[in-house]
């Protein structure tokens, strides 16, 4: 495993282009585009203000930079650096900006969610969509880029509109059986739209493309409900994480629950491997305590860690949430399927330092990773069943069916990994600190695991 030098970035705005060739990073009001292989700067663009959001077009030819405080969006071209586009929403403001799947339209959501404005880069035409709902996930595009589902709120009722992305005409418009719609998401095959209610009511609704209600699922009543929802890449399973600390898996044929995964404080499962991170400080000789060694910020005082396999039963650290506070830190907030849909990784918020890995094929717990501090982020390799995670310290952690490893990021000054993103090839990971980034390159042994 090798690491690149460290580069500057702001607000963790760093993205690899969809074709995997370029790395775009934002530093205050500047946009820097590098070659992923050599990390040489290819283009440098200057925006009118500090960048709040940045995104690549689907064909990797354009980059969108949004400045929400100014209500501005600037678009830059990789092929024609002199060409640029500026969209000013004016006094109506801007809270969200994103590309359409064709990479030639930009969708801006105005302040107070008054409307969504669709701007065409080709014809300069402008379309308006009224009544977008302010919710967790109110817009989603089908994987093939043909359709857009939009959550709407009008007359104190929830609706979903399905638009055709070619010309933005309305295909279907239907009322949903929700009290307060919180989000929607297309299945990867684009056949089914999952819609879920706010946490006050446990309800997940499944609609066909023509707006027919295929099924309704509710696990219980009169308690905080759905916290997270995700589809498996195969579209065969829908995983629902909830405040009762369980994940329920629905199948795509009957839309009934086929299993549920629980997150107990004590693990008695003898088939699951429990990896516990153990920290040790290196012994320091008096010769090492020179002023030079201390001031250059080397790894002298860095803690080293490794994983130990614990025999069951194992007691996990649990934090009891404050019942008087809103949005209690309890329940399954993060769900992620591996690219082959074989594994599911979960995080239960009142066990913030623990990641659970489940085998979906066997419907059983495979591994539990207990870290020394709270897990900030985890993400699957897009090509292999391999999970990377970080906890806000100077280490990168990797799990695969072969085992678990803790890797020190060898940079001066103690690079603390706040979040991470895999390259689409699975050959490297972008590690993001508070104001820096570096790339981690997997060696051949790691790739073959």
């Amino acid at each position: 495993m090798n690491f690149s030098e460290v580069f500057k970035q702001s607000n963790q705005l760093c993205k690899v282009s969809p074709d995997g060739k370029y790395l775009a990073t934002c530093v205050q009001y500047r946009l820097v585009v590098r070659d992923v292989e050599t990390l040489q700067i290819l283009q440098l663009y200057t925006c009118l203000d500090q960048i709040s959001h940045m995104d690549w077009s689907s064909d990797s030819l354009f980059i969108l930079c949004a400045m929400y405080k100014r209500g501005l969006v600037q678009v830059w071209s990789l092929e024609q650096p002199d060409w640029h586009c500026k969209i000013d929403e004016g006094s109506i403001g801007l809270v969200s900006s994103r590309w359409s799947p064709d990479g030639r339209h930009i969708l801006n959501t105005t302040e107070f969610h008054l409307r969504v404005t669709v701007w065409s880069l080709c014809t300069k035409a402008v379309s308006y969509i009224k009544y977008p709902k302010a919710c967790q996930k109110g817009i989603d595009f089908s994987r093939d880029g043909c359709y857009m589902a939009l959550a709407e709120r009008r007359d104190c009722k929830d609706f979903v509109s399905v638009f055709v992305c070619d010309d933005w005409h309305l295909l279907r418009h239907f009322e949903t059986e929700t009290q307060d719609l919180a989000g929607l998401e297309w299945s990867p095959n684009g056949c089914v739209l999952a819609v879920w209610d706010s946490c006050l009511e446990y309800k997940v609704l499944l609609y066909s493309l023509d707006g027919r209600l295929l099924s309704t699922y509710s696990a219980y009543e009169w308690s905080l409900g759905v916290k997270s929802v995700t589809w498996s890449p195969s579209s065969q399973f829908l995983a629902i994480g909830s405040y009762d600390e369980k994940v329920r898996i629905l199948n795509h044929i009957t839309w009934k629950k086929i299993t549920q995964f629980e997150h107990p404080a004590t693990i008695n499962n003898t088939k699951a491997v429990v990896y516990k991170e153990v920290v040790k400080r290196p012994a320091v000789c008096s010769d090492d305590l020179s002023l030079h060694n201390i001031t250059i910020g080397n790894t002298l005082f860095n803690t080293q860690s490794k994983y130990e396999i614990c025999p069951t039963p194992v007691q996990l650290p649990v934090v009891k949430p404050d019942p008087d506070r809103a949005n209690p830190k309890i329940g399954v907030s993060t769900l992620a399927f591996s690219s082959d849909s074989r594994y599911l990784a979960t995080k239960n918020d009142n066990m913030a330092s623990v990641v659970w890995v489940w085998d979906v094929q066997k419907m059983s717990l495979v591994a539990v990773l207990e870290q020394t501090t709270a897990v900030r982020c985890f993400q699957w390799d897009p090509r292999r069943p391999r999970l990377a995670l970080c906890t806000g310290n100077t280490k990168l952690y990797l799990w695969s069916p072969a085992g678990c490893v803790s890797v020190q990021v060898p940079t001066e000054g103690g690079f603390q990994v706040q979040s991470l993103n895999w390259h689409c090839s699975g050959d490297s990971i972008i590690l993001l600190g508070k104001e820096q980034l570096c790339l981690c390159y997997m060696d051949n042994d790691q790739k073959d695991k």
Side-chain angles (χ1 to χ4, degrees):
M1 199 180 287
N2 294 311
F3 292 84
S4 73
E5 61 181 294
V6 171
F7 301 101
K8 283 186 177 179
Q9 54 87 11
S10 303
N11 298 330
Q12 310 216 328
L13 294 175
C14 173
K15 286 188 178 177
V16 175
S17 59
D19 63 8
K21 293 179 182 177
Y22 310 107
L23 176 69
T25 55
C26 297
V27 184
Q28 304 295 335
Y29 56 88
R30 286 195 176 91
L31 172 67
V32 184
V33 181
R34 286 185 166 86
D35 183 294
V36 161
E37 297 294 326
T38 64
L39 296 178
Q40 295 295 310
I41 294 177
L42 301 176
Q43 298 293 348
L44 187 64
Y45 305 99
T46 304
C47 292
L48 294 169
D49 205 340
Q50 183 159 339
I51 302 162
S52 314
H53 171 72
M54 177 265 291
D55 203 7
W56 285 94
S57 63
S58 54
D59 55 8
S60 305
L61 295 178
F62 297 94
I63 306 175
L64 170 158
C65 293
M67 291 139 274
Y68 293 146
K69 287 180 183 175
R70 292 271 293 264
L72 281 176
V73 174
Q74 286 184 272
V75 185
W76 306 97
S77 166
L78 237 64
E79 287 187 331
Q80 299 168 277
D82 296 334
W83 179 95
H84 70 278
C85 160
K86 185 177 87 168
I87 298 169
D88 190 345
E89 290 289 353
S91 58
I92 200 166
L94 181 66
V95 294
S96 169
S97 186
R98 62 187 296 169
W99 286 102
S100 67
D102 67 357
R104 296 297 177 269
H105 293 82
I106 290 170
L107 282 76
N108 286 344
T109 306
T110 61
E111 271 191 336
F112 309 113
H113 282 72
L114 295 177
R115 70 185 185 205
V116 174
T117 313
V118 183
W119 301 84
S120 169
L121 296 188
C122 301
T123 65
K124 298 184 183 178
V126 184
S127 308
Y128 298 105
I129 303 171
K130 288 183 178 180
Y131 313 114
K133 182 167 186 184
C135 60
Q136 195 182 343
K137 188 174 183 181
I139 295 179
D140 195 37
F141 292 99
S142 58
R143 188 71 57 90
D144 59 9
C146 291
Y147 304 106
M148 179 185 83
L150 176 75
E152 297 180 4
R153 184 77 173 176
R154 55 175 92 179
D155 303 325
C156 300
K157 292 177 183 176
D158 291 326
F159 296 87
V160 168
S161 287
V162 179
F163 294 88
V164 179
C165 295
D166 283 349
D167 55 4
W168 303 104
H169 81 263
L170 183 64
L171 179 70
R172 285 287 181 272
H173 175 76
F174 53 91
E175 187 179 342
T176 61
E177 295 177 17
T178 49
Q179 297 296 318
D180 183 12
L181 189 153
L184 46 78
E185 188 176 325
W186 289 104
S187 60
N189 62 14
C191 295
V192 180
L193 181 69
V195 174
W196 58 95
D197 220 321
S198 75
C199 63
L200 296 178
E201 184 165 352
Y202 194 121
K203 189 182 272 189
V204 177
L205 304 154
L206 296 143
Y207 291 94
S208 64
L209 186 58
D210 59 3
R212 285 179 298 117
L213 180 61
L214 300 173
S215 187
T216 303
Y217 180 74
S218 177
Y220 54 82
E221 291 183 294
W222 317 117
S223 187
L224 290 176
V226 176
K227 195 164 192 178
S228 53
V229 176
T230 193
W231 287 95
S232 68
S234 65
S235 302
Q236 291 175 297
F237 306 111
L238 182 67
I240 307 163
S242 49
Y243 281 88
D244 68 346
E245 305 177 54
K246 295 174 185 175
V247 176
R248 293 165 176 86
I249 309 287
L250 308 188
N251 75 83
H252 74 300
I253 297 169
T254 63
W255 301 114
K256 297 283 190 291
K257 182 183 79 174
I258 51 171
T259 191
Q260 70 180 26
F261 298 142
E262 300 186 13
H263 298 73
T266 305
I267 297 173
N268 297 307
N269 186 340
T270 53
K271 291 183 180 177
V273 183
V274 180
Y275 296 95
K276 183 171 183 173
E277 185 189 6
V278 178
V279 172
K280 59 173 183 173
R281 288 188 178 275
V284 179
C285 305
S286 57
D287 298 343
D288 293 332
L289 292 172
S290 65
L291 184 63
H292 172 71
N293 273 351
I294 294 169
T295 52
I296 62 170
N298 66 359
T299 57
L300 177 65
F301 294 109
N302 275 345
T303 55
Q304 296 172 345
S305 76
K306 63 175 185 175
Y307 282 110
E308 286 184 354
I309 295 176
C310 299
T312 55
V314 177
Q315 187 72 32
L316 299 174
V318 179
V319 177
K320 200 172 181 181
D322 185 347
D324 297 328
R325 287 190 148 187
N327 304 314
K329 288 202 174 294
I330 187 170
V332 182
S333 65
T334 318
L335 300 163
F337 279 97
S338 59
S339 58
D340 59 1
S341 300
R342 172 73 188 266
Y343 298 101
L344 174 70
T346 63
K347 181 185 156 193
N348 186 20
D349 283 352
N350 48 322
M351 303 174 188
S353 60
V354 181
V355 173
W356 309 65
V357 182
W358 310 84
D359 187 324
V360 180
Q361 200 171 318
K362 295 178 180 174
M363 300 291 174
S364 63
L365 183 64
V366 178
V368 177
L369 282 64
E370 185 190 334
Q371 308 297 130
T372 53
T373 52
V375 175
R376 295 286 182 93
C377 172
F378 60 78
Q379 197 177 85
W380 288 99
D381 179 334
R383 296 291 174 90
R384 307 165 189 85
R386 179 170 54 180
L387 186 72
L389 59 134
C390 62
T391 62
N393 59 15
T394 57
K395 297 172 190 66
L396 167 68
Y397 306 94
L398 291 164
W399 175 90
S400 75
C404 225
V405 66
S406 164
V407 182
Q408 177 75 37
V409 181
T411 57
E412 286 190 6
F415 182 94
Q416 295 185 321
V417 188
Q418 304 293 325
S419 68
L420 51 83
N421 282 303
W422 284 93
H423 185 275
C424 53
S425 66
D427 293 342
S428 59
I429 310 174
I430 301 151
L431 306 177
L432 296 167
K434 285 182 179 172
E435 294 178 340
Q436 295 172 313
L437 73 98
C438 80
L439 267 74
C440 166
Y441 300 98
M442 298 294 172
D443 59 30
N444 292 328
D445 293 340
Q446 284 284 339
K447 285 180 196 176
D448 296 336
K449 263 190 182 179

